[in-house]
Structure formats: C-alpha cells, structure tokens
Amino acid sequence: MTTPHHEQISAFMAEVAAQNPNEAEFIQAVQEVAETVIPFIANHPKYTEHRILERMVEPERILMFRVPWTNDAGEVQVNKGYRIEFNSAIGPYKGGLRFHPTVNLSVLKFLGFEQVFKNSLTTLPMGGGKGGSNFNPKGKSDNEVMRFCQSFMTELARHIGPNTDVPAGDIGVGGREIGYMFGQYKRLRNEFTGVLTGKGLNWGGSLIRPEATGYGAVYFAAEMLESQGQNFEGKRVAISGSGNVAQYAAEKCTQMGAKVITMSDSSGYIHEPNGLSEDQLSWIQDLKNVRRGRISEFAEAYPSATFHAGERPWGVACEAAFPCATQNELNESEAKGLIANGCIVVAEGANMPSTPEAIEAFQAAKVLFAPGKASNAGGVATSGLEMSQNSLRMNWSRQEVDERLLNIMKDIHAQCVSYGTDDSGYVDYVKGANIAGFVKVADAMIDQGVV
Ligand code: NDP
C-alpha cells in the first residue's frame, strides 16, 4: 500500500521486523497502526522527539512460565504460560487470557498491542495487557481444566493485582475458567479483590459483562448505519464463531430486527436462511456453553438450516457481517465476495479477523468497516465497569451497565469519526481508532517521562 509517508513507515517496520523475528501476527498489528499513526506523527513532532511509537511497540514486561498439571489418568502434562504487560501509561494492565493450542508469543503480543489502543478508546483508565497458554480446554474434563487453571494462577498470582494487572477471559477462557483462577488467587493471597473480570454475578461479577463484547459491536455498527440514515431492521447478518462474542452479537442483532443467517465454529458454518429465532439462538447457547458440542449439530436439529463443513460464512449474501471467531479469518477474496453480494457494514467482533488486504478492499469499496479495537471494545469497557463496582463494593443494575456500555460505544464511534473522516466524508475507522487511541496514551507517556 502506498501512503504519503511510506519511506518512514517502511524504515520503522524494517526495524520492528528485525527486532521481532518470526512474529508475523505482531508485525501485522504494528503495520496497521504504523500506516495511520506515522503520517499523523509527522505533523506532531513532540511524539517523534519522545520516540513514543518506538517505545509503544516494546512491551513493558513479558512473563513466560511453565504450567505443569496432571490429567485424569494421573499423567503429568506441561504447557506454556504467558502474560504480556504491554503499557501502563493510563492505568493498570488490562486484557484477556486466551487458552488455545495456537497461542504463542506473536499472537499474544499482537493482542496486547491492540489492547493498548482499544483500552484508551474506552475512555476508562486501563493500560493494555494480554496473556494465556497453549493449553486446549476442548475435550478436557472440568477437573482437568480446574487443575490447569490452579497451576496457571499459582505462577500468575505473583504478577497481578487489582491495581497492577487485571486479566479477563478470551478464547477458551469463560466463566468456568475465571472461577477456577479466581478461587486459586484468593487462596494464595488470602484476599478477595477484583483481580479478574468476567466473574460470576454472586462473587463480584458485573451484569452485562458476558453480553458486552457482542452487544457493543452491534451498538457500534448501529451507529455506523445511523450515520448513513440506516438501521438493522430487516438486514441479513452473517456472523462467524459461536462463542461468547458471536452469541451476543447474534442476540442483539435479532433484538434490533435483523436476521442472523449464519454462525460457525472451527469445523464449518451453519446457514439458516430464515434468520435464527430466539429459540434457535438459545439452543446454540446451550450447545456451546453447556453441552460443549459442535455447530454441525444445529443443522441436524433444524432441517431448515444447512451445514457447510470446512467453510467460512462469507460467501452468503448479506448486508452486514460480524467476524467474531479469530484472527485472519476473512481474506481479500472473501471481502470482495461480501462486497459483490451487497454487504454495506462490517464490524469486527474478533481481534484482527480481517487480513490487511481484506480491509483495503472494504475501504476501497467505501464499506462501513470497523476494526476490532473500536468495535469490540465494549467487553473490556464493561470489565472496566466491573473494576469500578468492585472498588466501590457496589452492583449496578443491568440497565445502568447497558446504558454505560451504549454511551461508551457511541463515544468510541465519535472519536473515530473525529480523527478518521476524509475530505469526501468517508470515515476511515481504522485510522480514526488508531490515532484517537494513540494520542491519549502518547500524551500520558510524555507527561510521565522516560520510563
Ligand atoms: P470463545 O472461545 O467463546 O469462542 C471462539 C469461537 O471462535 C468459537 O466458535 C471457536 O470455534 C471459533 N474459533 C476459535 N479459533 C478458531 C480458529 N482458529 N478457526 C476457526 N474458528 C475458531 O471466544 P470469544 O467469543 O471470547 O472470542 C472470539 C474473538 O473475540 C477472539 O478474537 C477474541 O480475542 C475476541 N474478543 C473477545 C472478547 C471477550 O470479551 N470475550 C473481547 C474482545 C475481543 P471452536 O469452538 O470450534 O474452536
């Protein structure tokens, strides 16, 4: 891609690539930021003088540790554990834990880097961090998951705390895992504090936290549509994933009058041309959260739906798309297919699900495109609200948290519009999110000196 400052961008990226070899995902995430932030910095020399971007790509601290545990057969297992404390300029490190076999340093560094910008956009005082393990919870018994979580937390507990670093969930880490980790932290430290978010409601959790990422992504997309005088009524929506984010994105789309026609997991996608009913969505929630089954079972239970093994849902005609599974799950040819089929709005529920070429295609076609760091920020924002409630030792009502979430998403949308609108009136939400997220963190770093 040729941008006005491509020489500076190339030089900067060459250095990042040399310093972080074999970290393709991290380099991809930095490249996206560099392309939009370096031209901005060129007009704001204080950021160059203080070498802010050079400092921001270097995590403040990386923790890597061994996680030994025993399976139900009594055999010793070992996994890798990580926590990346990326940037604490505007608050304690905050970000999820991912348990998935694909987890490595590059994946967690990309997630941690994006988290810094995302958390800044939420308007709440949270720095950025991310962590996890290459542990695969799939197919493990509850007792195995518990023993793994206890071992993982036995090391992590030394490094986190309600004013230091507050992890949450992500892929493979839901209410069950947060519960086991919270229990072990409490036992080790002998204190009941808001050290994790995504907790159960009767032990410090916040209403709306499970729903927040999916609901927030839909609130953001609704703002984008409204800016064009449109809404979700009657629109066909393609969603990927069937986990936490996907389920609640589907629920909110349906509540707003849209027809959710696809959901997926790593084995393929289901197509329900009539749009998922409330009952069907509850069926999927039970399948995924309780029975822990595969999405293909949906098409066996409901003959109106079809299952497409090994495929992603982007070939289906729709007006809106929410990629809510994982990184790089929507490529250039899939983006062009969506555009050709009439898709006008894409809001990322997952982190970095669209490849750089896909984003370029959406923007060239003037599709309303929201990057995850803006559109999925509702999850961490509500985690921030959970932290506030824990500090105050109070519980806000469902309506109160939902209203705050809606207002935060509107605020993030406004920040993107403010920094991302071009001369023709088209909003480059990638540019807007990157620059708005950058400015707050960068100014705080300048104020705090060379640390
Ligand atoms: P879950 O573990 O609840 O669900 C993940 C979903 O994505 C599952 O349907 C899973 O299918 C699918 N998936 C995971 N990995 C792959 C893969 N490699 N290929 C195809 N499908 C895959 O995770 P979440 O819903 O919490 O997270 C989804 C995305 O949203 C992630 O990118 C996460 O970082 C992001 N996110 C999550 C937030 C949250 O609050 N939870 C906040 C902000 C962003 P299967 O079951 O077959 O593995």
Side-chain angles (χ1 to χ4, degrees), residues 98 100 118 138 170-172 209 213 241-245 264-266 294 324-326 349-351 376:
R98 176 177 293 192
H100 194 272
K118 182 188 309 191
K138 243 182 254 163
D170 190 78
I171 291 178
R209 176 61 189 92
T213 308
S242 48
N244 172 269
V245 180
S264 72
D265 63 18
S266 52
R294 309 305 298 159
C324 296
T326 192
N351 286 309
N376 72 30

Side-chain angles (χ1 to χ4, degrees), residues 145-349:
V145 170
M146 180 179 74
R147 285 195 294 275
F148 173 81
C149 288
Q150 290 178 340
S151 181
F152 183 85
M153 184 51 85
T154 299
E155 176 58 34
L156 189 67
R158 302 169 207 273
H159 309 289
I160 62 175
N163 297 310
T164 310
D165 184 352
V166 184
D170 190 78
I171 291 178
V173 178
R176 173 181 63 169
E177 291 75 16
I178 293 289
Y180 293 148
M181 287 190 277
F182 183 79
Q184 183 72 350
Y185 181 90
K186 189 166 58 66
R187 181 188 194 194
L188 289 165
R189 301 286 283 257
N190 193 27
E191 58 184 35
F192 194 113
T193 57
V195 68
L196 292 162
T197 57
K199 298 186 291 295
L201 277 182
N202 50 356
W203 44 278
S206 174
L207 286 160
I208 298 286
R209 176 61 189 92
E211 294 89 337
T213 308
Y215 277 18
V218 179
Y219 291 152
F220 195 94
E223 280 294 295
M224 291 199 291
L225 284 171
E226 198 183 305
S227 73
Q228 305 296 309
Q230 300 214 45
N231 61 40
F232 269 110
E233 196 62 51
K235 297 228 168 15
R236 291 166 300 174
V237 178
I239 293 181
S240 66
S242 48
N244 172 269
V245 180
Q247 289 171 20
Y248 289 106
E251 186 172 290
K252 186 52 73 180
C253 282
T254 309
Q255 285 170 7
M256 288 192 170
K259 287 207 300 189
V260 175
I261 56 175
T262 71
M263 291 188 83
S264 72
D265 63 18
S266 52
S267 54
Y269 78 92
I270 53 115
H271 183 206
E272 170 51 271
N274 304 320
L276 293 171
S277 66
E278 265 180 43
D279 284 351
Q280 287 177 320
L281 197 49
S282 306
W283 194 95
I284 290 176
Q285 290 179 334
D286 184 66
L287 172 78
K288 286 293 172 181
N289 308 345
V290 182
R291 290 182 279 144
R292 299 186 188 272
R294 309 305 298 159
I295 199 75
S296 55
E297 294 169 42
F298 180 83
E300 290 158 22
Y302 293 95
S304 53
T306 47
F307 175 64
H308 303 260
E311 287 182 42
R312 304 195 283 218
W314 313 127
V316 166
C318 61
E319 286 75 41
F322 289 86
C324 296
T326 192
Q327 63 270 9
N328 293 326
E329 53 154 324
L330 200 171
N331 65 26
E332 182 181 12
S333 68
E334 290 165 324
K336 289 184 170 161
L338 281 167
I339 296 161
N341 277 332
C343 182
I344 57 167
V345 58
V346 178
E348 295 187 332

